[in-house]
């Protein structure tokens, strides 16, 4: 009988591929996301075979189309004019990147930022600063959810939040001297910090320098997949 045959041939082995995990690394401008990811990609040999690192497509934002338009620079120079166009392009480049990277075979994928921080941090901040009009926000929202839910690869398994004070980020930003960010104020960094906090860190923590796992209740409006609401890891980084 088929049962006997199966018993004789040992345990049944299914060849279904294991699910790859995706974590997004979040945090304020200059907090050290790129450094964190580069260390994992380059310095930790054991991890290299396990982890695919997907950097943020900043290069694409600095070089758009045949005229090599720098839309990151244009946004900081004329935020009213370019906030919507820039956030729209940020989203498009993440989708392009998702299509390029989704064939990877490594079991863990670490991505620098996500469409969620675009929406929860930057789009909120530029709207509150009145750089994005009500109408532009409505247009952004009208396509955001439908497009995200049609691309399951954009929905991560969790977040790693690199957390530092706005002052620390400001100092690191000045040291780094990215040409476009000359006009980024401490006030704007404080604003972005608050948005990260209310999105990813609703509880105050006395722990420093440790990886803590918590279960924050994320804002209902944040269109985050319910399964990942309880999977946020924090790294404190003010030193
Ligand atoms: N940016 C934005 N809106 C987004 C995403 C990014 O305005 N939705 C801007 C903020 C920065 C630049 O793009 O000026 C790059 O942003 P990041 O903070 O993601 O990258 P950093 O290189 O500053 O991060 P780190 O220093 O932590 O590696």
């Amino acid at each position: 009988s088929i049962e006997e045959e199966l018993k004789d041939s040992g345990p049944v082995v299914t060849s279904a591929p294991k699910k790859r995990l995706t974590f997004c690394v979040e945090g304020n401008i200059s907090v050290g996301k790129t450094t964190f990811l580069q260390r994992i990609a380059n310095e930790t040999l054991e991890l290299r075979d396990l982890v695919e690192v997907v950097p943020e497509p900043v290069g694409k934002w600095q070089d758009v189309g045949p005229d090599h338009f720098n839309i990151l620079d244009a946004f900081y120079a004329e935020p009213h004019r370019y906030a919507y166009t820039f956030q729209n392009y940020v989203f498009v480049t993440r989708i392009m990147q998702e299509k390029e990277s989704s064939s990877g075979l490594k079991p863990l994928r670490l991505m620098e930022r996500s469409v969620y921080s675009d929406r929860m941090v930057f789009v909120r901040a530029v709207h509150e600063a009145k750089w994005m009009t009500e109408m532009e926000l409505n247009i952004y929202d009208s396509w955001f959810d439908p497009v995200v839910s049609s691309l399951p690869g954009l929905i991560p398994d969790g977040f790693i939040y690199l957390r530092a004070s706005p002052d620390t980020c400001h100092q690191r930003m000045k040291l780094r001297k990215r040409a476009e960010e000359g006009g980024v104020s401490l006030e704007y960094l404080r604003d972005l910090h608050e948005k990260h906090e209310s999105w990813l860190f609703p509880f105050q923590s006395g722990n420093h320098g440790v990886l803590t796992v918590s279960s924050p209740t994320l804002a209902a409006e944040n269109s985050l997949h319910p399964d990942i609401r309880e999977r946020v890891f924090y790294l404190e980084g003010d030193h």
Side-chain angles (χ1 to χ4, degrees), residues 18-38:
K18 284 214 184 91
K19 186 187 179 293
R20 177 183 53 175
L21 289 176
T22 297
F23 281 80
C24 298
V25 177
E26 305 285 359
N28 210 342
I29 297 176
S30 277
V31 72
K33 297 178 291 296
T34 306
T35 312
F36 174 80
L37 288 168
Q38 274 172 355

Side-chain angles (χ1 to χ4, degrees), residues 173-192:
M173 197 183 72
K174 285 190 293 190
L175 280 176
R176 167 172 79 188
K177 291 197 186 110
R178 183 182 274 156
E180 296 86 349
E181 291 169 349
V184 177
S185 64
L186 178 57
E187 201 193 345
Y188 186 57
L189 292 184
R190 286 199 179 118
D191 204 15
L192 298 177

Side-chain angles (χ1 to χ4, degrees), residues 29 74-87 121-137 183-185 187-189 191-192:
I29 297 176
F75 161 64
Y76 282 124
E78 279 182 82
H80 293 90
R81 167 67 185 83
Y82 288 107
Y84 177 82
T85 315
F86 177 49
Q87 292 305 327
V121 175
F122 289 96
V123 170
R124 277 178 152 204
V126 297
H127 174 246
E128 278 173 29
K130 304 223 183 304
W131 295 335
M132 198 185 260
T133 66
E134 214 57 38
M135 178 271 288
E136 288 169 324
L137 182 71
V184 177
S185 64
E187 201 193 345
Y188 186 57
L189 292 184
D191 204 15
L192 298 177

